[in-house]
Amino acid sequence: MGSGSSLIEVVQAERQQEGGTGRRRFVIRVTGELDINHAGDLRDALHTLVAGAEAPAEIVVDLSNSSFCDSSGLNALLDGRLAALERGHTVSLAAPSHQMLRLLDLTGTIDLFPVGPAVD
């Protein structure tokens, strides 16, 4: 644990809401391990998006290429979610692994994040 590599990539895409109003959608792609050595990168990416995005924005954390998440990674997600909610944004998880879903379940945080499929 903690010896793997991680890459955090932020992608912006436009998405239309019902009624034709534009809503910004940001995707944060996590590759590798989301552990104590890399959770700060995710926390920084989330806070940068939250601070700079005009509300309401949708922030999707795509975990389809993430192999592991520990409590520091979970704390980064929870911290980013709270900051996002305070500014009128939403945070959801895309394609979390079984291990990640188990971590969310064991910690009682599974209902805090909408979960969806991987983002193209």
Side-chain angles (χ1 to χ4, degrees), residues 4-7 30-35 38 63 65-69:
S5 63
S6 179
L7 174 68
V30 179
T31 302
E33 296 181 353
L34 188 49
D35 59 14
H38 304 103
L63 299 164
N65 292 311
S66 180
S67 57
F68 177 78
C69 182

Side-chain angles (χ1 to χ4, degrees), residues 10-106:
V10 179
V11 180
Q12 177 181 338
E14 292 292 328
R15 182 172 124 175
Q16 293 294 321
Q17 286 182 312
E18 290 181 34
T21 60
R23 180 177 183 167
R24 290 198 180 251
R25 181 182 196 204
F26 298 91
V27 177
I28 299 175
R29 296 186 198 279
V30 179
T31 302
E33 296 181 353
L34 188 49
D35 59 14
I36 194 165
N37 294 318
H38 304 103
D41 296 337
L42 177 59
R43 187 181 315 272
D44 291 347
L46 283 166
H47 280 274
T48 298
L49 279 178
V50 166
E54 185 177 319
E58 177 186 11
I59 301 169
V60 179
V61 181
D62 188 341
L63 299 164
S64 60
N65 292 311
S66 180
S67 57
F68 177 78
C69 182
D70 68 8
S71 62
S72 58
L74 177 58
N75 281 326
L77 286 168
L78 292 169
D79 183 60
R81 176 190 171 273
L82 183 59
L85 289 175
E86 290 173 350
R87 293 189 179 238
H89 307 306
T90 61
V91 175
S92 62
L93 306 179
S97 68
H98 175 74
Q99 182 268 329
M100 179 70 189
L101 290 172
R102 180 87 170 124
L103 178 64
L104 292 168
D105 186 43
L106 288 172

